[in-house]
Amino acid sequence: MDHQESRLGKEVHTLRNAYGPELVLVDEDGGGETVYRIVHEVEVDGEHYAVLQEVDDREEDAYLFRVGHERVEPVEDETEWEKVAEAIDELLYFDEQ
């Protein structure tokens, strides 16, 4: 069986290719800017997601965002978050078995 076909998601590099290793997000409510490091990008069920880490945060602090049509929004739905986190784990650790 082809390993790629059985995976939940696929790695993409859309943000990294467009912006480099870091991305600046502007808070629409307050107008403040936050610089994030792009840790991982993945496509799951046709949706693009990114794991971002504030450049000043500890390495273990990272956030999951949905990316689409010039908008980057945090994933707040627990079911969606779990599905994407599982796909990312699978991509990171698939070949270590």
Side-chain angles (χ1 to χ4, degrees):
M1 177 185 339
D2 182 5
H3 292 297
Q4 188 67 25
E5 288 179 21
S6 64
R7 292 188 179 182
L8 298 173
K10 68 177 184 177
E11 188 172 8
V12 295
H13 302 282
T14 308
L15 291 177
R16 190 178 302 273
N17 289 342
Y19 301 104
E22 295 181 346
L23 178 67
V24 177
L25 298 182
V26 178
D27 181 1
E28 291 179 348
D29 296 328
E33 294 183 347
T34 306
V35 180
Y36 289 93
R37 183 173 65 88
I38 301 169
V39 180
H40 297 289
E41 292 179 75
V42 63
E43 184 178 300
V44 178
D45 295 337
E47 294 281 344
H48 180 194
Y49 297 91
V51 176
L52 305 178
Q53 179 181 55
E54 289 185 40
V55 294
D56 297 330
D57 271 358
R58 298 180 317 233
E59 189 170 314
E60 59 270 3
D61 292 339
Y63 307 93
L64 181 60
F65 289 86
R66 185 182 321 100
V67 180
H69 305 299
E70 300 183 25
R71 293 188 61 86
V72 178
E73 302 173 317
V75 174
E76 296 177 357
D77 179 75
E78 188 174 333
T79 303
E80 180 182 14
W81 193 98
E82 289 290 336
K83 177 176 67 174
V84 176
E86 184 177 343
I88 291 169
D89 281 348
E90 185 179 82
L91 285 171
L92 292 175
Y93 304 112
F94 193 84
D95 295 325
E96 291 186 7
Q97 297 179 15

